[in-house]
Structures are given as structure tokens and as C-alpha cells.
Amino acid sequence: MATKAGFSSSGLSIDSDPFSSSSSPPIQHHLFFHPPPPPPPPHIHYMESTTTATSAQSKASWSNPSPTIQFPLNLNYTSPDEHQPQDDDHGDIKFIHDDLRLSSDNEDHPHNRVINEMDFFAVADHNKKKLIMNEEGGSSKLAAPTDFDPQNATTKDPLHGSTQDFNNVYTGLHLLTANTSSTDQSVVDDGSSPASDDARAKNEIVMLQAEIERMNKENQRLKDMLSHVSNNYSAMQVHLMKLGDSQKKDARDQQQLQMIAQEHQKEDQQQMLGGSPQLVVQKQLMDLGLAPASDIHDQQSLSSSENHEDGRSNSSPTNLEAASKLQVEEAREQIRMGMGREGEAAHGLPNKVPKFNPSKSNADQASSTEATMRKARVSVRARSEAPMITDGCQWRKYGQKMAKGNPCPRAYYRCTMAAGCPVRKQVQRCAEDRTILVTTYEGNHNHPLPPAAMAMASTTSSAARMLLSGSMSSADGLMNPNFLARTLLPCSSNMATISASAPFPTVTLDLTLNPNATQPLPNTLTQIQSQFQNPSQNLPLLPQILTQALYSHSKFSGLHMSQNDMDSSSLAPKQQGSLADSLTAASAAIAADPNFTAVIAAAISSFIGNSHPSNNVTNNSTNSNTDSGANIVNSSSFPEN
DNA sequence: CGGTTTTGACCAGCGC
DNA sequence: GCGCTGGTCAAAACCG
């Protein structure tokens, strides 16, 4: 077929690396929070000698379940024998010293030595031990990183120079360093003449000052690394909390089912009593916030909404009650199937729902409701010459069809990262502009994901949930679809398109548009720009930045995070509005490099998920006061009940 | 040889 | 009931 070149590859094989044209890179190579295999630390020789000490030590280090071990900074090489858990007050410096101690310790074992490196360490050992002593004497910042400086290493010529020369250079420096330590006089005693001491002291001072500067830089670098790790850890915490909320939600769902049904009835009763549409909408917004079981509430609202639009807002209470019961029953089934917040998309393959859900066949209304609840989709439009956007997942093509109205074929992919994963996606080029690639995701992964894929998984589940939540905002949730658009992208409304048309409600993230960048772009933008300017170096920071921005934004928009989320955040209020910056910057960046489409889309949708999931989402009146302008393609109707 | 892609056949939903 | 369309299946081909 003519489409072979266009759709012949999964995201893994060709497009997985947005920064390289090389084929078949491992997925992890472009992941945001890629946890490296036990990495060769920056100081390779040094760490080799340590890691060969005992396998038990190595295992102990790398089996640390803490997310911090996932990051490249070598923070886990601690010596079980030497390390005293007295830290927390010296931060990065402490890590350095731990490494020092470990190394000194291990190299005392002859069988652990590597010959070519042993000369180096054997010489360095003497100095390290001095350094440790100095460290305890208060001069740690000067001494610690010295052994790691590659520049020094070259001057010392550890591999080829004579041991004596090496000692001369090395020892002299550290003796002086030690000499500055008022607490360790025993180290210095070379018997020099008093006349030469002054000149030598001046030289030493100069050297020490230079050394101080260098060490400061080194410390700053290490601090940055530590900050990087901490930020990544925070981002992961956000994600973990999100996952944790889903479990809590499952426990609460049962209790909320009845409440939801009651609320639904009250809602409809209020409409029947002639409440103004604005009041109704406002109440619906509140209901959205008070409905942790959003998915369940979605269904109710959807059906109610359809009734409203079809001019059946005056539905009899009997029908409403029956519909509510059906929704509740359906929700119960979802819960029984173990679907949490992440689960609605994993409800099953959309095409399979009618096939494999005969339980609803007992009622026509039930089948209609089921059609209503067909899985929401998340569509990403992006300019890309590549056959697929990179999303971190592994896909297998299982079909290709010519779709009506589009000369470009539509390719069907399913996730192959785990057997039975329900996630599918469709890839098709836009008929009007074939440089635009439209990728539509549906479903939710049922298996662990690499971080990048996790971001996209968050896209599908969160955006779908948010779509349903928006439409559920009540009987006429679809009458006010702007709410959802504002909620999704309050500052870049033209990037979000919400299509609730049957049969599949879809959120479209149109990343081909370039929203007007009228707002100042503070730090977040700068960071993102930096990300795109140096993607190979800084890519891991991008999701972190976006996560921070999005997370921060969620705290100040009408969407409120749960208390836990709030407590865990350290973001300052001044970061309010950074979402807009992020989105604006992201758009600009996408225009420059479409390979980041998935990244941005995932980040945006991650925001959606982070804002909503707490199940404490409270849509106050702020939302209804914000501007309109969201590009709502449709809010027509779901399949009616 | 195992995984992936291709591609025609098949099925279900929907409108007429 | 029939045709259209979207979506999936599965055997064959392909590929590394």
C-alpha cells in the first residue's frame, strides 16, 4: 500500500527519539523521568572501585525504593559501614563526603582493586583520608570535591606519572588545605625554613582561593543536581498522590452513589421549578466539584443533558429516577470492575463495549446509556512529518482503513507493552493540511509505564475524565461547554477543542495553533525555552517544569487540589499564572519542534488530571466568571437515553 | 524465528 | 433489510 512508508512504524522503532534520527532507540532514551540502570556515575574510576567492593553493598544501594534513586545523581553510594545518618543539614556536601569515605574504605581491600586505577586511588587514598579528617575539622567544602576534579586529575597524571610526582602535587595541595584547618595540626609538619614559609604561604593562599572558587562552583553544580533530583521527586510525588487518590476514591464511591443520585434528582427538580439557566449552571458547577465520583456523575449528567437538549427537560420524575438508578448501577459495575480514577478509559475497548457488555441488554435505556458512556477520546493535532508522534509507548498496527472524507488512510494501533492492554490509538493525517498529524487515544493502560508513556496515559485518562466531568456538570452541562474549555485551558482556549458529538466525546488538543503570547513569560517560559534549546541536556526538566506550572496553576484556579496535594506542594503563589506561560511557551516550542507534541500534550493533560483527581475538586464561581472564547466545536448531544 | 505490518474479510452500528 | 461506515480480526508477508 501507499501508506506503508507513512504508517509502517510504531512510535518505538522510529519516532521514539525526538532528538535523533537514529532508528530503534530504546524507549527510555527520551523519557522524562527515565530511571537509568545503575549508571556509571560521573566519577567513573572512583565509583568502579566502590561498586566492586561487595555485591551486597551494591544491591543495597540500588534496591532503594525511593524515587530518588531513579535519577542520575549518584546519591546512593553510601557506605553501610561508614555512613552515619547524621546528615540532613549539609545537603549536597554530605553526599560527596559519603562517597569519599566509601571509596577510601573499599580500596583498602586488595581484591577490590583494579590495577590501572589502583595507582590512582592508592595515591589518592592517602589524601582522601586526610580530607575526611579535614572535613570533620570544618574544611569540607574545600577538600571534598578535589579528588573528583578531572582537571586536577590531568595535572596529576595519575596513570602515567610517577607516584612521587603525583604525591608532590597532590599532597602539597592537601597539606595546605589541611594547614588551613585549625583543628588538625598533626597533618602538617614538613620542617620548612621560616624564610620560605611566607612566600609559600602566599602561594598557598592564592591556590586556596582558586580552589575555593572551583569548589564553590562544584558545590553549586551539585546543588543544582540535587535540586533537579528533588524537583523530579516532587513531580513523581504529585503523580503518586494522584494514583493514591484513585484508591481512596474507590473506597468512597460506594458511599457517594446514593448522594449522587439524590443530587441528580434535586438538580432536575430545580430545573423543573423554573430556576434560571445561570443558576442551574452555577449549581452544576458546584455539583461537579462536590462529586468525587465524577465518572458516575458524568453519566447522570450526560443523560440529563440529552433530555434537556432534546426538549425533554420536563422529563417525568419517574424517568429521571430510572435514569439515575441506571447510572448508579452502571457506576457500581465500574467500581466492581476495579476501575478507579484511571479506570474509566480502561473500561474496555470502545468497540467492545457493546459487544461484551450484555448486562445492559435488559433495558433500552441501559443500552443507550452505555452508548453514552462510550469511551471518551483524546485527540492530539500536531504538525509532524513523522508518521507518528512520540508518546513513549509501544504500538502495534492492527489495521488500516480509508476513512470517509479523508484521502489519507487511518491507521489503527494498539498498545503492545502488555498483553491485553486496552489502549488504542488512531493516526491519520488531516485532509486539509497533511502536515498535521491527528493522533487519537482511547483507553487506559493496565500495566506499568515508562514515565513518558505515563504522561500520555495521563493524557487519555485525565482528559477523558475531564471531558465527561465537564459535560456532566449537569443537566445542561453541554449547554455550557465553555466551562470545560476554560477548565482545560483557561489561558489558551484556542488550543482545546471539545467535541462531545456522538458516539465518542473527544477532547482535541490542537497543538498546531500558536496562541497569542501577550502575557509576560517569566521563569517557566525561560525554563521551557531552555528545554527546547538544549533538549538533549534538559529534556528531563521539561515535564518537571510543566508539572510545576500546571500543578501550581491548579491551586489558584477554580480547581482546587486536595489537602494532601496542597500540603505537598512547595510552590509559591507567585507562580500563579505560570500555566499560561507554560502553554504559551509550549506552543511556541512546538512550532519550533513538533517532536515535542506528545510531551506538551501529555503535560497539558497531566495538568488536567492533577487538577481534577483529588475528588475534592471544587468549581467555584470563579470558573463561571472567566472569559469565554474556548473553541467549542460542538456540544450537541450524546446518544440520547 | 518471533514480532510486526499488510490487507482482505468480517462484524456491528446506524441511517434510510 | 440493505448499504455505508468505522473498527477489528487474522492469515500471509515482511523484517531484523
Side-chain angles (χ1 to χ4, degrees):
Chain A
M1 287 286 281
T3 59
K4 178 173 182 177
F7 296 94
S8 61
S9 68
S10 69
L12 173 65
S13 61
I14 289 183
D15 303 310
S16 57
D17 188 347
F19 312 112
S20 170
S21 59
S22 64
S23 61
S24 302
I27 296 177
Q28 293 85 344
H29 286 181
H30 67 282
L31 300 184
F32 307 146
F33 304 107
H34 168 50
H43 315 299
I44 294 174
H45 301 298
Y46 184 82
M47 296 314 300
E48 280 181 357
S49 67
T50 63
T51 53
T52 54
T54 64
S55 59
Q57 287 182 358
S58 297
K59 285 186 178 179
S61 291
W62 293 108
S63 62
N64 185 349
S66 168
T68 57
I69 82 168
Q70 304 292 334
F71 302 108
L73 183 58
N74 175 31
L75 300 181
N76 294 296
Y77 280 84
T78 58
S79 170
D81 299 330
E82 290 280 334
H83 180 69
Q84 302 296 326
Q86 57 183 342
D87 30 61
D88 294 338
D89 53 346
H90 287 9
D92 52 332
I93 300 303
K94 196 62 190 175
F95 288 116
I96 300 169
H97 295 162
D98 288 343
D99 283 350
L100 276 173
R101 294 184 185 185
L102 179 61
S103 175
S104 298
D105 215 29
N106 292 332
E107 67 197 7
D108 287 339
H109 302 283
H111 61 276
N112 292 330
R113 299 183 176 187
V114 180
I115 297 304
N116 284 340
E117 298 171 357
M118 274 319 298
D119 292 337
F120 177 84
F121 289 116
V123 175
D125 180 43
H126 176 67
N127 297 311
K128 287 175 187 171
K129 290 179 178 178
K130 291 179 181 176
L131 291 175
I132 293 170
M133 297 171 63
N134 292 335
E135 167 196 351
E136 292 167 352
S139 60
S140 58
K141 287 192 178 183
L142 294 177
T146 304
D147 289 338
F148 298 93
D149 190 349
Q151 291 181 347
N152 272 0
T154 58
T155 57
K156 295 163 193 167
D157 193 12
L159 297 180
H160 305 293
S162 68
T163 302
Q164 186 175 2
D165 292 340
F166 186 75
N167 271 332
N168 286 342
V169 175
Y170 219 21
T171 304
L173 177 60
H174 288 297
L175 283 175
L176 294 172
T177 302
N179 208 5
T180 61
S181 171
S182 60
T183 61
D184 190 1
Q185 299 296 332
S186 63
V187 178
V188 184
D189 185 10
D190 55 0
S192 302
S193 65
S196 62
D197 281 343
D198 289 341
R200 216 184 93 190
K202 290 179 181 178
N203 289 335
E204 291 167 359
I205 291 172
V206 172
M207 292 175 61
L208 285 174
Q209 287 176 343
E211 192 71 9
I212 288 171
E213 284 187 5
R214 196 166 54 79
M215 292 305 109
N216 286 337
K217 290 179 181 178
E218 179 74 5
N219 281 327
Q220 186 59 44
R221 186 180 66 83
L222 292 170
K223 285 179 181 176
D224 291 341
M225 292 175 67
L226 181 63
S227 174
H228 178 199
V229 171
S230 299
N231 289 332
N232 283 343
Y233 176 71
S234 298
M236 292 186 69
Q237 267 190 327
V238 170
H239 186 73
L240 287 174
M241 284 187 293
K242 183 180 158 188
L243 293 177
D245 283 340
S246 70
Q247 296 177 351
K248 294 177 183 176
K249 177 194 170 185
D250 287 344
R252 288 192 302 254
D253 278 339
Q254 288 290 344
Q255 296 178 352
Q256 291 163 346
L257 287 173
Q258 289 189 340
M259 286 182 56
I260 291 167
Q262 293 174 359
E263 289 174 5
H264 184 72
Q265 292 183 13
K266 290 178 182 177
E267 201 174 88
D268 291 319
Q269 289 173 0
Q270 191 174 27
Q271 294 177 35
M272 294 173 61
L273 292 175
S276 71
Q278 289 179 349
L279 290 177
V280 172
V281 168
Q282 193 156 358
K283 180 186 181 305
Q284 290 157 2
L285 295 177
M286 294 175 66
D287 287 345
L288 172 63
L290 294 173
S294 59
D295 298 340
I296 302 166
H297 202 161
D298 288 350
Q299 303 173 36
Q300 298 174 341
S301 301
L302 287 175
S303 62
S304 180
S305 144
E306 291 153 16
N307 290 338
H308 190 92
E309 290 193 346
D310 292 340
R312 297 181 220 148
S313 57
N314 290 332
S315 305
S316 68
T318 302
N319 289 340
L320 290 172
E321 186 174 354
S324 295
K325 286 181 179 177
L326 287 171
Q327 310 293 347
V328 168
E329 192 147 338
E330 198 170 295
R332 279 202 180 109
E333 183 176 350
Q334 287 187 6
I335 295 169
R336 181 171 47 80
M337 293 170 66
M339 296 190 308
R341 291 163 4 87
E342 300 280 336
E344 80 278 12
H347 182 60
L349 305 181
N351 56 326
K352 298 292 184 183
V353 169
K355 273 187 186 176
F356 300 145
N357 239 334
S359 62
K360 302 297 184 299
S361 61
N362 57 353
D364 292 339
Q365 281 186 336
S367 61
S368 297
T369 302
E370 186 172 88
T372 297
M373 281 312 295
R374 278 178 182 173
K375 205 180 322 174
R377 295 179 173 180
V378 178
S379 184
V380 178
R381 289 168 51 91
R383 295 189 187 279
S384 174
E385 299 299 325
M388 284 203 312
I389 62 175
T390 300
D391 51 28
C393 267
Q394 190 171 359
W395 302 95
R396 176 179 176 177
K397 187 178 182 178
Y398 65 89
Q400 178 170 301
K401 292 283 286 187
M402 294 300 298
K404 186 180 179 181
N406 192 335
C408 302
R410 175 184 301 163
Y412 299 89
Y413 296 87
R414 65 162 53 98
C415 176
T416 60
M417 297 189 77
C421 179
V423 176
R424 314 238 167 145
K425 77 173 180 179
Q426 301 172 7
V427 179
Q428 187 175 31
R429 293 208 169 269
C430 181
E432 292 77 16
D433 185 353
R434 301 194 184 186
T435 64
I436 296 177
L437 197 65
V438 181
T439 305
T440 302
Y441 296 88
E442 55 187 51
N444 208 342
H445 299 275
N446 61 358
H447 52 86
L449 290 170
M454 196 178 298
M456 187 52 78
S458 177
T459 295
T460 58
S461 62
S462 300
R465 178 169 54 250
M466 201 62 189
L467 170 64
L468 296 176
S469 297
S471 58
M472 79 147 184
S473 54
S474 76
D476 40 5
L478 293 179
M479 287 180 61
N480 188 22
N482 284 349
F483 157 71
L484 177 54
R486 287 195 304 266
T487 303
L488 288 171
L489 296 169
C491 303
S492 301
S493 56
N494 60 335
M495 291 176 65
T497 294
I498 300 159
S499 173
S501 348
F504 303 114
T506 302
V507 175
T508 299
L509 302 176
D510 193 345
L511 302 178
T512 64
L513 303 176
N514 191 9
N516 295 330
T518 57
Q519 299 185 6
L521 304 177
N523 294 336
T524 302
L525 174 57
T526 304
Q527 293 178 69
I528 292 177
Q529 286 175 335
S530 172
Q531 291 281 303
F532 284 94
Q533 287 166 358
N534 301 297
S536 61
Q537 297 176 0
N538 297 325
L539 179 62
L541 292 175
L542 178 57
Q544 162 197 334
I545 295 167
L546 285 173
T547 298
Q548 287 182 353
L550 298 172
Y551 182 66
S552 173
H553 172 82
S554 67
K555 294 168 55 182
F556 301 100
S557 67
L559 301 171
H560 295 283
M561 304 294 287
S562 67
Q563 188 59 44
N564 286 340
D565 291 341
M566 300 287 285
D567 292 341
S568 66
S569 174
S570 61
L571 299 174
K574 66 181 179 182
Q575 290 178 293
Q576 180 178 5
S578 56
L579 171 65
D581 305 331
S582 301
L583 294 175
T584 304
S587 247
I590 288 163
D593 190 345
N595 283 328
F596 288 90
T597 295
V599 173
I600 302 304
I604 292 169
S605 293
S606 294
F607 156 68
I608 296 168
N610 285 343
S611 342
H612 182 63
S614 58
N615 300 328
N616 295 331
V617 171
T618 301
N619 289 287
N620 55 24
S621 58
T622 304
N623 277 330
S624 60
N625 293 334
T626 55
D627 63 335
S628 62
N631 181 16
I632 305 303
V633 163
N634 168 36
S635 50
S636 60
S637 66
F638 288 89
E640 65 180 68
N641 276 339

